[in-house]
Amino acid sequence: MGRRWRDGRGELVVHGSGEGPSLTVPLEIATSYRARTKGLLGRDSVDGAILLSPANSVHTFRMRMPIDVAYLDRDLRVIAVLTMRPGRLGMPRLRARHVVEANAGAMREWGVRKGAWVEIVVHER
């Protein structure tokens, strides 16, 4: 299931791992090299989340805030979630194809955890 998106906006729909209703979160989509390398650098917070694709690792050098990071496989299933403080280098996840970043604590609040399934809904320009 090869997915290709363009830089822009959309929604992250969190389906969880079977229990409870879905949750929709505002999403910024970063797929170009320039957008992925900038990511959350220089920001104090993020409204919703940001999708980096393709990506299998992240760093928090020069970031101002701790972030939650969810690693997604090719089927958009969450394979790992962790919180990273500024100035850290995350280890690459071999099965990861996409990464979702958000403010620290947001993933738990949204029900994003290992095994959860998410969906990306793109807003047309």
Side-chain angles (χ1 to χ4, degrees):
M1 294 177 102
R3 287 176 168 76
R4 296 209 178 224
W5 299 285
R6 294 179 187 259
D7 291 349
R9 299 228 166 248
E11 295 176 336
L12 176 73
V13 182
V14 181
H15 294 287
S17 53
E19 65 269 354
S22 300
L23 176 76
T24 303
V25 177
L27 182 69
E28 183 178 331
I29 301 169
T31 59
S32 68
Y33 177 77
R34 180 180 211 141
R36 286 189 327 245
T37 54
K38 182 167 180 356
L40 296 176
L41 295 177
R43 299 189 201 185
D44 292 321
S45 67
V46 60
D47 177 31
I50 183 171
L51 170 73
L52 307 175
S53 180
N56 68 354
S57 68
V58 296
H59 69 82
T60 58
F61 299 126
R62 296 187 356 226
M63 282 201 180
R64 299 177 181 171
M65 63 186 176
I67 60 170
D68 282 350
V69 179
Y71 296 89
L72 309 177
D73 68 11
R74 70 179 70 245
D75 298 321
L76 302 180
R77 180 110 12 218
V78 178
I79 58 176
V81 178
L82 58 109
T83 300
M84 294 178 66
R85 293 180 301 176
R88 302 288 187 240
L89 176 64
M91 295 298 293
R93 304 289 172 144
L94 297 179
R95 289 182 29 238
R97 298 294 180 266
H98 319 282
V99 172
V100 176
E101 297 177 343
N103 292 324
M107 299 286 181
R108 180 179 311 140
E109 189 178 305
W110 300 335
V112 176
R113 62 184 170 281
K114 185 176 180 179
W117 174 64
V118 299
E119 184 179 354
I120 308 300
V121 177
V122 178
H123 293 167
E124 297 300 322
R125 296 180 205 189

